Amino acid sequence: MKNKQIHNDLHALERKVRLILAEHQQLKHEVQNLRAENQQLQQALQAKDEQISDFKNQLNISSIAGNLKDGVLDTSGLKVLIDEYISEIDKCVTHLSK
């Protein structure tokens, strides 16, 4: 009788271990999928950030061109804007070289 109980307990324990292992495998697979999705989302976010930066640069260039047409900027103002753009370009080059 005691052997039968031990055998039943052992069988139940083996079944639980198999269930835990199966769940562990499923969770590992889910983690892999979530990591891949996270990577894709990070890449998409970076691409959107780059697009926003490009749009901001285009807007600034349009603003400068408009100000030059209208004669709003004088030589010193234009020099300051050019210096700012050179600084931004340097930051971009540094960022791209990383």
Side-chain angles (χ1 to χ4, degrees):
M1 183 76 165
K2 197 170 191 175
N3 279 341
K4 188 172 185 171
Q5 181 63 34
I6 292 173
H7 179 69
N8 288 340
D9 290 345
L10 181 60
H11 182 69
L13 184 61
E14 287 175 347
R15 190 175 68 79
K16 288 178 183 178
V17 167
R18 279 192 219 104
L19 289 173
I20 289 172
L21 288 174
E23 185 176 356
H24 179 264
Q25 284 299 107
Q26 179 204 6
L27 291 174
K28 278 176 56 174
H29 182 69
E30 186 176 342
V31 165
Q32 288 176 342
N33 289 339
L34 290 172
R35 284 182 178 159
E37 181 182 0
N38 187 22
Q39 182 68 25
Q40 290 173 347
L41 291 172
Q42 286 178 352
Q43 290 172 350
L45 179 61
Q46 184 177 358
K48 295 295 181 184
D49 286 343
E50 290 172 4
Q51 282 182 334
I52 289 171
S53 178
D54 290 342
F55 288 139
K56 285 180 181 178
N57 287 337
Q58 289 175 0
L59 182 61
N60 287 338
I61 291 170
S62 296
S63 175
I64 288 175
N67 288 338
L68 288 176
K69 283 182 190 176
D70 299 338
V72 174
L73 287 178
D74 59 357
T75 306
S76 63
L78 185 57
K79 184 178 185 316
V80 169
L81 282 175
I82 290 172
D83 288 341
E84 288 175 7
Y85 282 117
I86 290 172
S87 174
E88 286 296 318
I89 290 170
D90 288 341
K91 288 179 188 175
C92 290
V93 169
T94 302
H95 179 69
L96 290 174
S97 66
K98 288 183 181 180

